Amino acid sequence: MNTILVPTDFSIQADNALKIAVDVARKTGAEIILVHVIEVEKTPRFVTSGSFIPNDGMDQVFLMKLIEQAKQKLNKIENNDKYAGARISSEVRVGNLFKQISEILSERDIDLIIMGTKGITGLFTAMTGSNTDKIVRSAKCMVLSVKDAPEHWQIRNVVLPTNFEDTSYKFIYNLKQLQKIFDFIIHIVYVNTLNEPKSDEEVKLLVKQFVKDHELSDYKTHIVKNIYAGNGIMQKADELNADMIAMVTHGRSALAQLIKRSITEDMIHETKKPILSFNIS
């Protein structure tokens, strides 16, 4: 892992995301890119000098003041002693949040995005809704969504829900790399729902093949019975006192999202546990 992207609005939730990013960076040597997006309805026009001209309704002096204030806050974070041992660089962007994050992802080789969720103002007010979902659906790297963060984040137990159909060798490989660094146990969880019930023997055979295909070690398996897959996952994660839930998700069109949101996205909104997600579309 080389690069971690952390969007921030300087809220408590953003600080929680940064704390976890610093813990990961210290153990992996990754660089943290801390980005603050000043959201405007329309993207300002840029000129050849590299400066920009605000659109109608946006006062240039006021915008420049916001940019300068943001840069000062980011600089203070970069030089904060509590983040010592982690390489942090920062930048300020102006425009639509989702579009700016997407541009960074296309410009840089990002391995992991760590986002705070359920903020009070600005960035994370938007992120609790469509922006979080858009980023989770569209990012081609892993996304870690967090609400709370302990003083020192440790990963000992990770829940890996699976239906043995929607999987990704790349995601499992990345998860195994994290396992080597943090030395956690992977808890493979299969939720036996009423819609597609399987016998315990069927599930055990599927687990055996799953473990062989992905060359997993230091794991445990759990079969959970619940009407809803999401409820079963959260129940088992609570029982295991899991430090993180690792899940795959599908990229979907806006229309599809209006009809049905993925289990992963529901989990991001409903559970307090960090969710590590990966888009397999």
Side-chain angles (χ1 to χ4, degrees):
M1 182 174 296
N2 298 312
T3 312
I4 302 170
L5 175 64
V6 182
T8 182
D9 70 341
F10 311 111
S11 67
I12 293 174
Q13 289 72 28
D15 187 50
N16 289 338
L18 180 57
K19 285 179 182 177
I20 289 181
V22 167
D23 284 337
V24 175
R26 283 172 177 161
K27 291 192 176 184
T28 62
E31 176 191 5
I32 296 172
I33 300 175
L34 193 62
V35 61
H36 176 71
V37 178
I38 298 173
E39 288 204 86
V40 295
E41 292 183 4
K42 295 181 180 180
T43 304
R45 293 179 289 117
F46 285 82
V47 295
T48 54
S49 64
S51 60
F52 55 84
I53 304 172
N55 293 305
D56 294 340
M58 173 62 74
D59 181 81
Q60 185 175 8
V61 175
F62 179 65
L63 179 57
M64 293 301 293
K65 185 175 181 179
L66 288 179
I67 293 172
E68 185 58 33
Q69 289 176 343
K71 287 182 178 179
Q72 290 175 4
K73 290 179 180 180
L74 290 171
N75 185 62
K76 187 175 180 179
I77 291 173
E78 288 184 56
N79 293 288
N80 193 320
D81 289 341
K82 70 179 181 179
Y83 302 130
R87 290 184 296 132
I88 303 176
S89 61
S90 63
E91 62 178 286
V92 178
R93 297 216 172 192
V94 179
N96 174 270
L97 171 70
F98 174 67
K99 289 182 179 179
Q100 293 302 316
I101 297 297
S102 298
E103 284 185 13
I104 293 173
L105 294 178
S106 65
E107 295 166 2
R108 302 288 297 268
D109 187 12
I110 305 295
D111 299 297
L112 174 66
I113 303 171
I114 302 184
M115 302 188 305
T117 61
K118 278 206 170 181
I120 298 171
T121 61
L123 172 64
F124 292 97
T125 298
M127 275 198 158
T128 58
S130 61
N131 281 306
T132 293
D133 297 340
K134 285 179 181 178
I135 292 170
V136 167
R137 289 198 308 267
S138 63
K140 298 303 179 183
C141 64
M142 296 184 295
V143 180
L144 181 61
S145 304
V146 301
K147 293 179 183 175
D148 303 316
E151 191 63 30
H152 296 289
W153 191 50
Q154 295 181 340
I155 316 177
R156 294 152 296 189
N157 295 288
V158 173
V159 165
L160 176 62
T162 181
N163 59 6
F164 306 110
E165 296 173 3
D166 297 333
T167 188
S168 164
Y169 282 91
K170 182 178 180 180
F171 181 48
I172 301 300
Y173 173 80
N174 289 334
L175 187 62
K176 289 193 300 179
Q177 296 307 303
L178 288 176
Q179 185 183 39
K180 289 179 181 179
I181 296 167
F182 289 94
D183 192 28
F184 54 75
I185 298 172
I186 295 176
H187 294 270
I188 302 171
V189 174
Y190 176 79
V191 181
N192 222 344
T193 62
L194 296 177
N195 294 332
E196 299 179 4
K198 289 183 173 64
S199 68
D200 287 357
E201 288 304 315
E202 284 181 282
V203 176
K204 288 177 182 177
L205 288 173
L206 289 169
V207 169
K208 185 177 181 179
Q209 188 61 49
F210 182 81
V211 169
K212 180 181 179 182
D213 290 343
H214 295 285
E215 300 180 336
L216 294 177
S217 61
D218 202 7
Y219 69 91
K220 295 182 180 179
T221 61
H222 309 269
I223 303 173
V224 178
K225 293 183 180 180
N226 202 297
I227 298 175
Y228 302 107
N231 290 346
I233 295 166
M234 287 189 286
Q235 174 189 331
K236 180 53 65 174
D238 287 338
E239 289 177 5
L240 295 169
N241 194 25
D243 303 290
M244 185 172 72
I245 301 173
M247 304 181 69
V248 296
T249 188
H250 295 272
R252 294 181 177 181
S253 66
L255 178 60
Q257 285 303 115
L258 288 173
I259 298 171
K260 183 179 180 181
R261 194 165 63 191
S262 74
I263 293 175
T264 302
E265 289 160 33
D266 283 338
M267 297 277 288
I268 289 170
H269 292 283
E270 294 174 15
T271 184
K272 291 184 178 180
K273 296 186 181 298
I275 304 290
L276 182 70
S277 60
F278 184 74
N279 176 16
I280 62 173
S281 62

